[in-house]
Every structure is written in C-alpha cells, then in structure tokens.
C-alpha cells in the first residue's frame, strides 16, 4: 500500500508541476544551449551609415583612419580566433557613433575664445612658470647635480603655486601614471559619446579605450612633446630664411650646453678632414683655405667655451665685456636720440640723483619744437587774415613758465643746478618779453655741456656696468657702429630733437581749481545712431556742477570710443588709476543689442561714479582738467594724434618732422589747416603725459586708493583681462604674451615698456578692430571643413603612409639632435626683425627668443603644455560635463600638490589654533 501510494503521488506531482511550468514559466534555454542556438541563427546584416560630420571632404579620410585602425589594432589578432565579422562591425559602428556625437558637439561650440584667448593664455602662463623656475634655480646657485632634473622639479613647484588646485607632475614624469590618466580620460569620453548599451559592454569598451589611449593618443602626445621633433618643425617653418654666420657664432658663444658644442665641434672636425683630403689646385685652393680657416675658428671657439663651462668659471657676458677695458664710445648726442640707450642713461642719472638735468633737457627740446610749430602755423593763419595772436602767445607764456617753475625756480624739486645769472636773466625775459622757441637755449646748452663734461654724469656713465649693458642692447659689444673720442671732443650741441619730451601747451590752460566746486555726472539715456552708413551707440551724460554761487546743468553725448580714448589718456597720465578704474571691454559682435547696451550703460555709470569720487580727485589733482574736458558740452577731441607724435619722438628726428608738418600745413587748404593745427595741439598732450610718466616712475607717491595687492607673477597671463566682458579683443591677449616672452615687467625695462605700450595703444586705437577681425577670420578659416579635412589627412599620412602602419621612428643620434638645436636657435635669431631689436633692445630680444626655445627642450614640460591644451579643448567642447573638477580629481595624487597642501596647512595651523583658543576663552568667560 505504501509503495502504490508513493508512486501515485509522484506521478500526480510531476503532472501538476509540468502543467504549472507550461502555464506560468516559459521554457528558456540557458548557457551553452543558448550560445549554440544563437550561432545557428543567420547573422543579420549590420547597416553602417558612412556619414560622420556632414562634410564629404572630412568623412572620407576619417573612414580611412577608422579602417586602418581596426585593421592594424584588432583584425590581425581577431581573425585567429573567429571569422565572424559582426564583432568588428559592432566596434566600427560604435566608433562612428562616437565621431558623430563629437562632430555635433564641435559644430555647436564657439571655438574663437579657445584659439584666440585660452590657447594663448595657456602658452603664456606656461612660459611664465618656466621663467620663474629658471629664476629660482639661478638664486640657488650651481650646487645642483642634475640641472635639468632640478628644473623640472622646480617647474612643477611653481605650477602648483600658480594653479593652486592642480599639478600635472605625475602625468608628465611617470609613464605608468600617464597611461592610467589617458585610460581614465578615454573612458570618460566613451561614457559621454557612446550609447548606454555599448558603453555597458565591457569587452568592447576596453578594446576601444585601449585603441584610443595606447594606439592613438599616447604616440601622438609623445611625438608632439619630443624636443627634437619641435626643433625640426621650427626649422621647417622658417626654412625660407638663410642661416647667418654671425647669428650662428653668437649661438655658439652663448651656448651653455656642452653637448651642443661637442656636436658642432665634431661636425666641424669631420668637414675639416674632408677638405684637407681634397686634391685641388688653382682658384679652388683659396676657397678651400678660407673654409678651413673658418672651421678652425669654429673649433677654437667651441673648445674655449667647453673649457669655460667645465671649469665652472662661466660669468655673465656683460661682466666679461666690462673687464675688457676700453669699449666703443657712444656719443652723448646719440644716446639722447636712441630710445634704448636713453633708458640706460636715465637709470644711471636716477642712481646718482641727476635725473633733473636730463628731464630738463628733454622737456626744453619738446617745448622748442612745439613752439616753433605753433608760431609757424600762427604766421600762416595771419597771412590769411585770421588773428589768434594773444591766445597762442598766452599758451606759450604759460608753457615757458611751467618749465621754469618745474626745473629752475627755488620751489622746484628736484632743481637743476645751473648758473644763477642765467636763471635770473631767463626770469627777467619771461616777465617782460614774449617767449620764443629759443628762450631756453642758453640754459639748455649749459645743461648739455654739464652732462657731457661733469665727471658725475656722462664720463662716469661710460665706466658703469649700465653702459656695458647698453652696448649689449645696442648689439655693439662685438661690432661697434659708433666711434667717438673718450674726452667728448667733436660732440657739439646740435639741439638733437629725437627722444625729447614735449611739454603740452593745451594742458596748461586754465581749469577750475576751486575745491568747493562739486561735479556730478550720470548716463541718463542711450541710443543707436546712423551716420553715413555707420551705426554706433551714443550715451547721453547729464552733468551737474555746483559751487558756492551758482549751479549749472547740461547734457553731453559720447560714444564708447570716446570713453575708451579718455580712459587711455588718464591711465597713461596717472599710473595709480590703472589699478582703480576698469573700463568695460569692447564687444566685436552684437554690440548694438538693446540688452547689451543697457548693461554697458550700467557699467559706464559705475565707471563715472568711481572716477568722480572725491578721494580719487584729491589723489590726482591734475585729473580735474581731463574730466572737465571730457564732460564739457562740445565735441570730444580724441587723441589718436598723440600716438603718432609719440612714435615720431622715438623714430624720426622730431625737429625735422615737425618742420615738415608746418610746411605741409602752409600748402594745404584752410579747412584742413585748422584740423591739422588742432591735431598738432593734441599731439603735444602725449609728450607731456610721457614726461609726467617719467617723473612718476622715479618719484612715485603712494596712491590714496588702491585695490588689494595681488602679485601678477603668481597668476595667469590673461588674469588682468576682465572676465565679465563677452568679447575681449584677442589682440590684447597676444600683446600680453609679448610682455611675457620678453619679460618687459622688469624695473630696468621702464622706457622700453612704455614704448611697447605706446605701440600697443596705437594698434588698438587705430587698427585694433581690423586686427581683431583678421584674427577671428583666421580662426574661422582654421576651423573650416577644408582645413579640418587637411588636418585629418596629415594625421592619416603620418600614421599610415601609403596605407601602411608607420614603423616606430628610431631615436636620432644625440649629435644630430644637438646640431638640430643649434640650427633651430640660429634660425629663430635670424628671423627676428631689426625693428623689434631697436625698440626693445638686441639683448632683451635675444634673451626672450632663447628663453622660449629653451622651454621646448624638456619633454616633461612639453607634455605638460600638451595636456593643458587638451584639457582646455575638452572643457570648451563639453562645458556642461564639469571637466575642470574631473581633471582636479585625476591629478589629485600629485606629490607636489600634496606637499603644497601640507605647507598651506602648516602655515594656517597657528592661526587656526589661535582662533580656537580665543573661542574657548570666550566660551569659558560666558560660562
């Protein structure tokens, strides 16, 4: 009975379970049966759309790159496992989908800020970090065992101090960390670009990640950061320039790399042996002898330089030249007309306290030229029946009295020490006679002779190290172009005008000086005007002026360009205002938009209120004249002519040029003559501003109002540019880069920096918009489909020449690489224009170019720059994906970053402990 019952129950249970299984749980095959079933199915065709970017000229080379990548990185091992094509097609489809997404993002991105501002800013900041690292190593001395390694460590120390939140030392110095960084970065990009289903497929994701990181990005970054590749590229870019023997010898004499010198010496010895083995006769033997002599000289220079470097007795070239004894003599009149030489003479005169004599000579020279021009124009106008004699003579008298009070009166500080009889005679003439252009000639001649003969001035200057540095900047240490006598014979006073500083006549006109006068102004309205086809915005300024007896109100109308010109004038004249006043920046496109005009109106109003602040006006009393002139109800006279005048001051003889202007005024119609006269008056203002700049640079008074100090050397190059402005002119960042390349912020670069600022302002005021548009157009051209297609083709041909994967290029011999370095430096020095050397100085130009070249000779530093460019590129392409935070996390394991945080913690710990102690004491007192 038991057995029957058991069998009966078992059979019923199986039937019931089978019914339940068929009714509720459909039967599914798992594991191996499922794989077999899938393999038995017919493979469905995968359709791949070959369109990627929407431009056929780009899609074709891109498809070839994808095909070559799969062939050389996947197919060669995959076909040993399977003949099934579906896996390869799936990978290809995933890659194409990612490229389509990438292309769509690129089309939506505005690339102009990246190429015109961020890219240049990153390069300039990289150069600034390198320069500061060099300075730190120079301060440490020569105790380092490996200077290159020390430079790299110091570079990343400075980087973390400047960046504050990130340091890329591990990525640039450790291959293992670099590969890990690229893997993480590629995985993030695949997450963004691939569809979720494909990204979850780990096998395919890892395949694609390794192809991108190890097969494409890593070789590309290694090539771009290779110093030898960069040197070859530099030589290729300026291949049309012929190497100059003089530039080559300069590089050899200045080289501090023994490897370079030995490579050049070995090549010269090889060529020497070849020439000596030739069997020649006749005319050829003279040519060969000359070549042999030249090679022997090169070998001798290399040997001498190597011995000096190995002995550790390397000294500064300028100090070495100073020990030679007699140097070539540059006459004083040449120094006064050359802006580079004048700067060193100014520095020397400041050191000995004789700057008043130099400033007086320059100011009088400017007064004479302006007075001559004004009187000649006045005479031409009198012939036409127009009389303005009293006004012109009044301006001349005011200008002459200004010169007298500033340099010769008892109240003058500093005062020019000259014969009292001459000063008394001049005062008598000023009080009883009309001033003439020659009224100061006697005293000026005496001052010139004093500077020439007095042992304190020019004779001692020739024995000073500044004189040797001046010769170096003039490129006269090896090939003097000026010859003169040591005692100054033959150096007669010729009233040399170039390099003079002109005292403005207009700026000496009467302005309200009563301290009880109150001035208020605000922009009440704004509108858009159309004048002869030109559209511009106009701002209505309501002005209130009150004093003890009356009150006035009027409206004046100004354009943004008027504000810009006014801001340039006052910041040049009053140095402290540049740190206080910030004018809203220019906007190239959509600058007539109503919303933008309202925003600019608000910003300009804030600018006016800060300008009219009583403390600002008291800090700069002479500022009142400029403000009244700007707010008067009249047409505003812009100062573009000032820049032309300042250019004349340092390029052409000022006296002759102004006489030519006067002659030209006489020969043109009367209406143009009036405009020319007005322009020449305005041109005088710049000269006085420059003279005031010179005085302020030597006699600085701390401003009453200043913004909190921040060391500009510890921030990015483009940090001074206002980030709130939509369109900063790209030219501004380019000019800031010029500051960084030639290190024009040094104290002893004052005059050259002012000349460079003048050129920048001239470009911005006259051609700024044009140059800006050219830069923008060039960026548009760079990102056009044709140029992108060309870049893809170059990439394809570099990695797969003739459709075949390129073999790894063997590293070139060290001697060849060193000779390439020498050739690259020679080419760069040769291509520098002489005009730049005349403005900035030959030595400064040479140092700036060689600093940039030296920066590219370290592969770790080059990698850092490449990764910075890549990071900025991704931040621009994916602005909503928080890439800055991601990069901070990826670089968080940096050793330099950890040390920096420890230093910060150690410096902040005492203050934290003190604050905690104070809080505990307060708590105890409360209890």
């Amino acid at each position: 009975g038991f057995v029957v019952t058991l069998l009966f129950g078992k059979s019923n249970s199986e039937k019931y379970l089978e019914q339940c299984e068929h009714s509720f749980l459909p039967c599914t095959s798992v594991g191996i049966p499922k794989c077999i079933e899938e393999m038995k199915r017919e493979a469905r065709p995968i359709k791949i759309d070959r369109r990627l970017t929407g431009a056929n000229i780009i899609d074709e080379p891109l498809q070839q790159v994808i095909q070559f990548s799969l062939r050389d990185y996947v197919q060669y091992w995959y076909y040993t496992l399977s003949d099934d094509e579906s896996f390869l097609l799936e990978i290809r489809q995933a890659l194409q989908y990612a490229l389509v997404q990438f292309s769509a993002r690129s089309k939506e991105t505005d690339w102009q800020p990246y190429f015109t501002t961020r890219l240049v800013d990153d390069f300039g900041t990289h150069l600034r970090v390198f320069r500061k690292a060099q300075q730190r190593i120079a301060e440490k001395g020569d105790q380092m065992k490996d200077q290159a390694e020390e430079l790299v460590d110091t570079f990343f120390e400075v980087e973390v101090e400047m960046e504050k939140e990130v340091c890329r030392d591990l990525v640039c110095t450790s291959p293992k960390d670099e590969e890990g960084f690229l893997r993480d970065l590629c995985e993030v990009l695949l997450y963004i670009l691939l569809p979720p289903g494909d990204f979850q497929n780990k096998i395919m994701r890892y395949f694609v990640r390794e192809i991108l990181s190890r097969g494409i990005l890593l070789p590309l970054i290694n090539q771009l950061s290779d110093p030898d590749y960069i040197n070859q590229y530099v030589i290729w870019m300026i291949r049309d320039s012929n190497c100059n023997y003089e530039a080559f010898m300069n590089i050899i004499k200045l080289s501090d790399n023994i490897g370079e010198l030995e490579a050049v010496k070995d090549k010269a010895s090889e060529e020497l042996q070849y020439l000596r083995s030739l069997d020649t006769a006749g005319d050829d033997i003279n040519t060969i002898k000359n070549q042999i002599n030249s090679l022997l000289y090169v070998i001798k220079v290399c040997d001498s330089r190597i011995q000096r470097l190995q002995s550790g007795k390397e000294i500064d070239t300028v100090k070495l030249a100073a020990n030679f004894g007699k140097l070539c003599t540059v006459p004083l009149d040449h120094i006064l007309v050359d802006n580079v030489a004048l700067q060193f003479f100014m520095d020397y005169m400041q050191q000995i306290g004789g700057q008043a004599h130099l400033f007086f000579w320059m100011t009088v020279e400017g007064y004479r030229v302006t007075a001559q021009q004004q009187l000649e124009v006045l005479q031409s106008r009198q012939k036409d029946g127009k009389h303005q004699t009293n006004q012109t003579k009044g301006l001349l008298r005011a200008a002459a009295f200004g010169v007298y009070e500033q340099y010769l009166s008892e109240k003058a500080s500093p005062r020019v020490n000259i014969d009292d009889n001459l000063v008394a005679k001049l005062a008598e003439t000023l009080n009883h006679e009309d001033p003439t252009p020659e009224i100061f000639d006697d005293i000026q001649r005496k001052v010139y002779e004093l500077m020439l003969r007095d042992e304190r001035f020019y004779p001692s200057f020739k024995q000073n190290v500044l004189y040797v540095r001046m010769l170096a900047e003039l490129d006269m240490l090896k090939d003097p172009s000026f010859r003169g006598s040591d005692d100054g014979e033959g150096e007669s006073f010729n009233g040399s005008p170039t390099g003079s500083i002109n005292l403005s006549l207009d700026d000496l006109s009467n302005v309200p000086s009563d301290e009880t006068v109150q001035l208020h102004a605000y922009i009440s309205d704004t509108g858009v005007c159309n004048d002869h086809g030109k559209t511009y915005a106009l701002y209505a300024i309501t002005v209130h002026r009150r004093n003890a007896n009356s009150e006035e109100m009027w409206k004046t109308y100004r354009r943004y360009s008027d504000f810009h010109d006014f801001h340039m004038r006052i910041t040049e004249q009053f140095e402290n205002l540049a740190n206080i006043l910030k004018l809203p920046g220019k906007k190239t496109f959509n600058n007539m938009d109503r919303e933008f005009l309202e925003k600019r109106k608000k910003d300009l109003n804030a600018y006016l209120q800060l300008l009219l602040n009583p403390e600002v006006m008291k800090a700069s009393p002479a500022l009142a004249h400029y403000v009244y002139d700007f707010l008067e109800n009249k047409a505003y006279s812009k100062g573009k002519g000032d820049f032309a005048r300042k250019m004349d001051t340092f390029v052409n003889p000022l006296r002759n040029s102004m006489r030519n202007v006067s002659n030209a005024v006489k020969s043109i119609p009367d209406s143009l003559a009036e405009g020319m006269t007005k322009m020449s008056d305005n041109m005088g203002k710049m000269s006085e501003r420059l003279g005031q700049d010179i005085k302020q640079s030597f006699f600085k008074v701390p401003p009453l109002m200043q913004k909190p100090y921040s060391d500009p050397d510890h921030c990015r190059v483009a940090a001074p540019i206002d980030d709130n402005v939509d369109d900063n002119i790209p030219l501004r960042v380019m000019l800031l880069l010029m500051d960084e390349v030639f290190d024009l912020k040094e104290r002893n670069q004052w005059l050259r920096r002012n000349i460079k600022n003048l050129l920048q302002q001239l470009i911005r005021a006259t051609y700024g918009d044009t140059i800006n548009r050219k830069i923008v157009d060039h960026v548009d051209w760079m990102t056009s489909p044709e140029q992108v297609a060309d870049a893809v083709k170059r990439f394809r041909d570099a990695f797969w020449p003739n459709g075949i994967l390129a073999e790894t290029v063997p590293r070139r011999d060290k001697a060849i690489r060193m000779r390439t370095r020498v050739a690259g430096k020679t080419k760069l020095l040769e291509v520098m224009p002489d005009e730049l050397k005349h403005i900035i100085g030959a030595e400064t130009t040479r140092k700036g170019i060689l600093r940039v070249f030296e920066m590219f000779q370290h592969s770790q530093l080059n990698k850092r720059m490449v990764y910075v460019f890549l990071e900025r590129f991704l931040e621009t392409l994916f602005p909503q994906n928080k890439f800055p935070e991601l990069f901070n996390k990826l670089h968080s394991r940096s050793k330099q970053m950890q040390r920096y945080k420890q230093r910060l913690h150690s410096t902040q710990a005492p203050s934290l402990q003190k604050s905690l102690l104070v809080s505990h004491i307060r708590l105890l007192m409360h209890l």
Side-chain angles (χ1 to χ4, degrees):
F2 176 75
V3 171
V4 170
T5 303
L6 181 62
L7 293 175
F8 179 77
K10 179 177 180 297
S11 61
N12 284 342
S13 299
E14 289 176 349
K15 291 180 181 179
Y16 179 76
L17 290 174
E18 186 178 358
Q19 290 176 0
C20 291
E21 186 179 24
H22 284 291
S23 59
F24 298 108
L25 301 173
C27 181
T28 58
S29 57
V30 294
I32 295 177
K34 182 177 180 181
C35 292
I36 295 174
E37 183 179 349
E38 288 289 339
M39 294 174 66
K40 289 180 180 179
R41 292 181 183 178
E42 294 184 2
R44 65 183 188 277
I46 299 178
K47 296 181 179 180
I48 296 180
D49 190 352
R50 298 182 64 85
R51 294 175 297 177
L52 298 174
T53 63
N56 292 330
I57 56 176
I58 302 177
D59 293 346
E60 181 181 352
L62 266 181
Q63 288 289 353
Q64 291 178 344
V65 170
I66 295 174
Q67 179 183 347
F68 293 155
S69 300
L70 293 176
R71 182 194 67 189
D72 295 327
Y73 293 107
V74 180
Q75 290 179 5
Y76 82 95
W77 59 263
Y78 176 75
Y79 282 143
T80 62
L81 303 178
S82 173
D83 295 332
D84 187 17
E85 299 282 346
S86 59
F87 175 73
L88 298 177
L89 293 176
E90 290 284 356
I91 290 184
R92 187 185 188 105
Q93 190 176 31
L95 286 175
Q96 293 198 173
Y97 182 85
L99 286 174
V100 169
Q101 296 298 317
F102 184 87
S103 173
R105 292 287 185 96
S106 300
K107 293 177 181 178
E108 297 172 358
T109 303
D110 181 11
W111 290 108
Q112 290 178 5
Y114 172 76
F115 284 106
T116 60
T117 303
R118 296 176 186 171
L119 204 65
V120 184
D121 175 37
D122 288 333
F123 178 80
T125 303
H126 185 85
L127 179 60
R128 174 174 291 180
V129 175
F130 179 77
R131 176 173 57 81
K132 290 179 68 65
Q134 280 187 323
Q135 291 173 353
R136 288 194 184 179
I137 289 180
E139 293 171 358
K140 292 179 182 178
D142 298 328
Q143 289 80 19
M144 296 85 66
K145 295 182 179 179
D146 188 346
Q147 192 168 1
E149 183 178 348
E150 181 73 15
L151 176 63
V152 172
D153 293 340
T154 307
F155 179 91
F156 287 110
E157 286 180 9
V158 178
E159 181 197 19
V160 72
E161 293 174 4
M162 188 170 293
E163 297 283 356
K164 300 293 191 300
E165 297 179 353
V166 65
C167 184
R168 302 169 182 85
D169 56 337
L170 280 182
V171 176
C172 299
T173 57
S174 171
K176 182 179 178 181
D177 290 294
E178 182 181 12
E179 291 179 6
F181 173 81
L182 288 176
R183 286 195 186 99
D184 293 339
L185 183 61
C186 289
E187 194 147 356
V188 172
L189 291 176
L190 293 177
Y191 173 78
I192 295 174
L193 298 175
L194 290 180
D198 289 342
F199 181 79
Q200 296 301 327
N201 187 338
K202 291 186 178 180
I203 297 177
M204 188 182 70
R205 184 173 84 225
Y206 291 160
F207 275 133
V208 177
R209 184 191 71 182
E210 291 300 314
I211 291 173
L212 289 177
S213 62
R214 300 283 304 272
I216 296 178
L217 285 180
L218 189 60
L220 181 62
I221 291 173
N222 287 335
Q223 183 178 19
L224 293 177
S225 58
D226 182 17
D228 188 49
Y229 172 80
I230 296 174
N231 296 339
Q232 294 180 64
Y233 189 71
V234 167
I235 295 174
W236 176 82
M237 286 181 63
I238 51 181
R239 58 191 179 278
D240 296 333
S241 173
N242 296 322
C243 284
N244 182 279
Y245 176 77
E246 182 181 358
F248 170 72
M249 293 308 301
N250 281 338
I251 293 298
I252 296 299
K253 294 175 182 178
L254 295 173
S255 176
D256 56 358
N257 189 306
I258 296 179
E260 290 180 1
L261 298 170
E262 289 179 343
V264 173
K265 175 188 171 184
D266 293 342
K267 188 64 176 177
S269 301
E270 180 183 335
E271 290 293 324
L272 185 61
Q273 292 178 2
Y274 170 74
L275 291 175
R276 285 175 173 172
S277 66
L278 294 178
D279 185 13
T280 57
D283 296 336
D284 292 340
I285 192 170
N286 294 325
T287 303
I288 291 178
K289 283 183 177 180
N290 292 334
Q291 293 177 356
I292 289 175
N293 290 333
S294 297
L295 291 172
L296 288 173
Y297 178 69
V298 171
I299 293 173
K300 180 181 178 181
V301 172
C302 290
D303 283 334
S304 174
R305 188 69 180 159
I306 290 172
Q307 291 176 6
R308 184 175 294 279
L309 291 172
Q310 289 177 342
S311 64
K313 296 180 180 179
E314 174 64 13
I315 60 175
D316 188 85
T317 306
V318 174
K319 295 179 181 178
L320 188 64
N323 295 327
F324 284 166
K326 185 175 180 180
L327 299 168
C328 62
T329 300
V330 182
L332 180 59
D333 55 345
H334 284 287
I335 291 177
L336 294 175
V337 302
D338 186 280
N339 63 288
V340 176
L342 181 61
Q343 177 257 322
F344 288 96
F345 191 53
M346 279 185 181
D347 286 351
Y348 175 76
M349 296 294 279
Q350 177 204 5
Q351 290 179 5
I352 65 173
Q355 62 270 23
H357 298 77
L358 180 59
F359 292 161
F360 171 76
W361 187 92
M362 298 168 72
T363 304
V364 169
E365 193 64 30
Y367 166 81
R368 182 195 300 108
V369 174
T370 304
Q372 287 176 349
Q373 191 268 342
Q374 290 283 335
L375 292 176
E376 290 177 3
V377 173
L378 178 62
Q379 292 174 4
S380 65
R381 294 172 65 84
Q382 286 177 342
K383 292 179 181 178
D384 299 332
K386 299 182 178 181
H387 300 283
Q388 291 182 340
T389 306
N390 294 333
Q391 180 182 1
T392 302
K393 289 184 178 180
L395 291 175
L396 287 176
R397 183 181 298 278
F401 268 107
V403 176
Y404 176 82
E405 292 291 334
Q406 187 174 1
Y407 294 105
L408 301 173
S409 67
E410 295 294 337
K411 300 178 181 179
S413 178
R415 184 173 182 270
V416 176
N417 295 321
I418 205 70
D419 189 357
D420 292 338
N421 294 329
L422 288 176
V423 176
K425 182 180 177 181
L426 173 65
E428 184 72 17
T429 304
L430 286 175
N431 290 326
H432 299 91
E433 299 179 13
D434 290 333
T436 63
E438 298 79 16
I439 191 171
F440 293 103
D441 276 9
D442 292 338
I443 297 181
Q444 187 189 27
R445 186 177 292 105
K446 287 290 183 182
V447 170
Y448 179 86
E449 292 177 356
L450 181 65
M451 290 190 296
L452 178 64
R453 308 290 180 184
D454 195 315
E455 285 296 329
R456 296 174 300 162
F457 302 138
Y458 177 67
S460 297
F461 173 61
K462 292 192 296 183
Q463 307 300 323
N464 193 278
V465 68
L466 287 173
Y467 183 79
V468 185
R469 294 192 178 278
M470 180 195 75
L471 294 180
E473 292 290 0
L474 295 174
D475 215 10
M476 294 172 58
L477 281 180
K478 56 185 179 304
D479 184 20
S481 57
F482 294 104
R483 292 294 181 183
S485 59
D486 292 337
D487 57 0
E489 290 182 5
E491 298 177 24
S492 60
F493 174 80
N494 57 8
S496 180
T498 310
S500 63
I501 294 193
N502 189 17
L503 185 67
S504 170
L505 302 177
D506 291 343
D507 288 352
L508 295 174
S509 58
N510 293 327
V511 295
S513 57
D514 189 355
E515 294 185 356
T516 62
V517 174
Q518 296 181 1
L519 192 67
H520 301 279
Y522 64 93
I523 300 177
S524 54
D525 199 7
T526 182
V528 178
C529 300
N530 191 297
D531 183 16
H532 300 288
K534 293 183 178 181
T535 304
Y536 55 88
L538 204 63
Y539 300 90
I541 305 176
T542 303
V543 184
H544 294 268
R545 181 168 63 183
R546 297 191 189 93
N547 54 27
N549 302 321
S550 63
E551 179 178 348
E552 296 179 82
M553 185 183 75
W554 68 86
K555 278 193 175 184
T556 187
Y557 299 89
R558 296 288 181 259
R559 298 174 57 177
Y560 173 82
S561 58
D562 300 331
F563 276 95
H564 186 265
D565 181 83
F566 170 73
H567 179 75
M568 287 168 58
R569 286 189 178 192
I570 61 175
T571 52
E572 288 169 3
Q573 175 71 12
F574 309 100
E575 192 175 83
N576 61 310
L577 292 181
N579 298 323
I580 301 173
L581 298 174
K582 294 297 181 183
L583 184 70
K586 288 186 178 180
K587 192 175 191 294
T588 309
F589 305 106
N590 300 323
N591 51 10
M592 295 296 119
D593 181 68
R594 190 66 195 174
E595 182 178 350
F596 170 75
L597 291 179
E598 287 298 321
K599 180 179 180 298
R600 174 168 281 178
K601 171 186 171 183
K602 180 180 177 181
D603 294 338
L604 290 176
N605 258 325
Y607 175 87
L608 279 177
Q609 303 316 311
L610 183 58
L611 176 67
L612 296 174
N613 187 299
E615 294 185 13
V616 176
M617 300 293 284
K618 289 180 181 178
S620 305
L623 176 64
H625 167 74
Y626 295 92
V627 175
Y628 281 114
D629 181 70
F630 179 74
L631 296 178
E632 278 187 26
N633 189 15
K634 64 177 184 179
Y636 179 64
S637 177
K638 293 186 180 180
K640 287 187 180 180
D642 300 348
F643 302 119
R645 174 57 171 277
K646 213 171 178 187
M647 288 284 287
D648 258 352
T649 302
F650 294 103
V651 179
N652 299 316
L654 190 57
R655 182 200 299 273
N656 297 333
S657 64
M658 293 309 297
R659 283 179 176 172
N660 293 338
V661 169
S662 301
N663 295 333
V665 169
K666 296 176 183 178
S667 61
I668 58 178
D670 185 68
S671 59
L672 291 179
E674 293 180 4
M676 204 71 171
T677 304
K678 191 173 183 180
M679 183 186 73
S680 63
D681 291 343
N682 290 332
M683 283 161 59
K685 297 178 183 179
M686 176 61 76
S687 297
E688 182 181 1
R689 288 201 295 272
L690 183 59
Q692 293 296 330
D693 283 347
I694 293 175
K695 290 197 66 179
Q696 291 177 7
S697 67
F698 292 120
F699 313 107
K700 287 188 177 178
V701 180
L704 295 180
M705 295 180 60
Q706 279 190 345
K707 286 189 173 182
Y709 173 77
S710 63
D711 186 1
D713 255 9
H714 283 79
C715 61
R716 300 185 65 83
V717 169
I721 295 181
D722 189 2
D723 294 332
N724 297 323
V725 180
D726 294 335
D727 272 347
N728 284 309
I729 296 183
L731 179 64
R732 294 182 63 190
V733 186
M734 303 290 184
L735 296 175
L736 287 173
L737 178 62
M738 180 181 174
D739 277 347
E740 204 57 44
V741 169
F742 298 108
D743 197 14
L744 297 180
K745 296 181 178 63
E746 291 182 3
R747 182 177 299 177
N748 64 346
Q749 302 281 353
W750 182 86
L751 185 60
R752 276 173 282 170
R753 186 171 68 251
N754 276 273
I755 299 167
K756 185 266 307 177
N757 290 337
L758 156 69
L759 297 177
Q760 293 178 358
Q761 292 160 3
L762 174 64
I763 293 172
R764 285 202 296 263
T766 55
Y767 305 108
D769 293 336
T770 304
I771 296 176
N772 178 59
R773 289 184 181 277
K774 286 186 177 181
I775 294 174
V776 171
D777 292 342
H778 185 69
V779 171
D780 292 339
W781 174 78
M782 288 171 54
T783 54
S784 63
E786 293 80 8
Q787 293 303 310
V788 174
D790 188 56
V792 175
K793 290 177 182 177
R794 288 199 301 269
F795 174 80
R796 177 200 63 192
D797 296 338
F799 275 77
W800 293 277
N802 299 321
I804 301 174
L805 182 63
E807 297 181 359
T808 303
V809 180
R811 188 173 177 83
R812 299 202 306 167
D813 182 69
K814 180 181 178 181
I816 298 177
R817 288 186 281 117
M818 289 299 164
R819 288 196 292 270
T820 305
R821 284 181 56 166
V822 175
K825 286 192 281 187
T826 305
K827 285 272 192 179
L828 281 177
L829 283 187
E830 182 63 24
V831 82
M832 283 298 106
D834 291 336
E835 292 78 8
L836 185 63
K837 298 177 183 178
H838 295 158
I839 294 175
I840 301 178
E843 187 70 13
T844 300
T845 304
R846 188 182 300 118
K847 286 182 178 179
I849 297 302
L850 294 181
R851 181 186 296 116
V852 175
F853 186 86
E854 180 63 26
M855 181 184 69
F856 286 117
Q857 305 311 307
H858 304 273
S859 59
Q860 299 96 328
L861 308 188
N862 295 338
K863 279 190 177 183
R864 187 260 178 193
M865 186 165 58
V866 172
Y867 279 117
V868 168
F869 290 164
L870 177 62
E871 291 171 11
R872 296 292 180 271
F873 175 82
L874 294 176
E875 291 172 10
T876 305
L877 188 63
F878 306 102
Q880 71 279 8
N881 290 106
K882 298 182 180 180
F883 265 98
E885 298 178 8
L886 172 66
F887 289 129
N888 289 346
K889 292 180 180 179
L890 291 179
H891 295 300
S892 60
R893 294 188 301 108
S894 165
K895 296 179 181 179
Q896 294 286 357
M897 195 70 202
Q898 294 172 3
R899 295 194 198 111
Y900 177 72
K901 290 182 178 179
Q902 289 176 359
R903 289 197 299 269
L904 279 182
H905 179 72
S906 62
T907 54
Q908 294 175 356
S911 59
L912 290 174
Q913 293 175 357
K914 183 178 179 180
S915 61
L916 288 174
L917 180 62
V918 170
S919 62
H920 289 163
I921 292 174
R922 287 177 178 174
L923 178 61
L924 290 173
M925 293 175 65
H926 177 71
L927 293 175

